[in-house]
Amino acid sequence: MNARIIVLPGDGIGPEVTSSAVAVLEETARRHGHNFSFESCPIGGAALAEGDAALPAATLAAARSADAVLLGAIGDPRFDHLPPGERPESALLGLRRALGLFANVRPARAWAGLEAIGPLRPEVLAGTDLVVVRELTGGLYYGEPRGIDRDGASAVNTMRYTRDEVTRIARVAFELARTRRRHVTSVDKANVLEVSRLWRSVVTDVGAAYPDVRLSHEYVDAAAMKLVLAPASFDVVLTGNLFGDILSDEAGAVAGSLGLLPSASLSTSRPGMFEPVHGSAPDLSGRDVANPVGAMASAAMLLGDGLGLHAEAAAVTAAIETAMRSGLRTVDIAGPGDQVVGTRAFTAAVVGALGT
Ligand code: IPM
Ligand code: MG
């Protein structure tokens, strides 16, 4: 297969973990006879620092024409003073909207051998294997009107969902559930918000076409609690943009480290965008300590969900597991007795395991 992959390293630890993901993709291409081309473009704080917009027009154009987009992380405290529409993060929101990436898929699971490092007791964590399906181009993040009043005395954001937006993300969740344990938990705040009442009724309608999939509804506060009390009770968690942002970080912490979580942001056609769930972590940047697993697992999702190369995706996942099983750990997931290695050494172990 020929595939053109646009790489957006971004800020903080983004460049380091992205180069881990690229190393894995290059080795995959070599082993399986594919021809992947990689083109790197600036985004976020890295673009602002060059005097460009957070999402330069050339970066957007390159992304639009790609077969897949691989992103590192966005966020740079040097630009915290800018208004929301100009900050590094605005590039991510602009890219999601421009590419129509309405479906954000964030798997989180308990890793064998990591039971002891997370915040939960091993018996609570056991069997956890869930996917957050987050609506990504609507809701409170994009609703109008929005803004701060001229006198600074008040500010407004708008949570809005249309029936069509809820229908298409619900279908993604139900289809995914069919490949898993056939259970969708839809998360809303229907006891307070009209948007959530619409959400719940549309999800129920969509669910009627999937009689083989069990549908539960939870209020977001209860879901947040249940995620730490009984994470293994979830299979597919279907929710809106803001709640999905919050619950996916929580799911990452439950799994042991946000550094482990990959994500895919998909539309109905190519390109999809693939990125670790973690942020730019400026304090870790340039120190060879970042956990590259989230980025490498995102590369696996790029292969599978982005390019349809499912065997190659499974091989990358297996290689990550092999490296973990060998006892190598980045510092964020190291327990007593583990061998702590840097980003580069862990990456080399995964690339090496790809060949076995
Ligand atoms: C995420 C991030 C982004 C979001 C930020 C960086 C805009 O937290 O992908 O979860 O809120 O969507
Ligand atoms: Mg987030």
Side-chain angles (χ1 to χ4, degrees), residues 17-163:
V17 299
T18 307
S19 67
S20 301
V22 169
V24 153
L25 292 171
E26 279 175 336
E27 181 65 11
T28 300
R30 207 174 64 75
R31 299 214 148 258
H32 296 263
H34 301 304
N35 182 14
F36 296 163
S37 72
F38 298 92
E39 185 189 326
S40 190
C41 302
I43 194 168
L48 288 166
E50 289 174 14
D52 219 327
L55 177 56
T59 297
L60 178 56
R64 276 189 203 281
S65 68
D67 293 305
V69 178
L70 178 70
L71 183 106
I74 290 187
D76 184 333
R78 286 180 297 170
F79 301 105
D80 276 353
H81 60 283
L82 293 176
E86 294 167 31
R87 287 169 62 108
E89 289 84 350
S90 68
L92 194 50
L93 302 180
L95 206 48
R96 288 170 179 172
R97 173 131 73 177
L99 299 179
L101 305 172
F102 69 91
N104 185 220
V105 180
R106 298 184 160 181
R109 62 185 169 100
W111 286 76
L114 291 189
E115 295 83 356
I117 62 117
L120 299 187
R121 289 196 307 278
E123 66 271 25
V124 175
L125 183 63
T128 297
D129 179 0
L130 61 89
V131 184
V132 177
V133 174
R134 168 189 177 192
E135 200 291 326
L136 202 59
T137 52
L140 196 61
Y141 273 53
Y142 292 94
E144 299 282 349
R146 64 183 296 157
I148 302 183
D149 289 352
R150 202 167 306 203
D151 61 5
S154 72
V156 64
N157 287 96
T158 301
M159 187 185 282
R160 183 189 306 279
Y161 269 119
T162 66
R163 187 166 277 279

Side-chain angles (χ1 to χ4, degrees), residues 214-270:
R214 183 155 68 95
L215 172 61
S216 320
H217 300 278
E218 294 276 3
Y219 298 138
V220 62
D221 50 351
M225 181 176 70
K226 210 164 157 185
L227 203 48
V228 291
L229 293 179
S233 67
F234 294 99
D235 178 20
V236 175
V237 178
L238 164 63
T239 191
N241 207 341
L242 179 69
F243 299 159
D245 178 48
I246 298 166
L247 294 178
S248 58
D249 267 29
E250 190 187 356
V254 160
S257 168
L258 204 49
L260 296 166
L261 262 65
S263 79
S265 302
L266 306 168
S267 94
T268 48
S269 60
R270 284 187 195 174

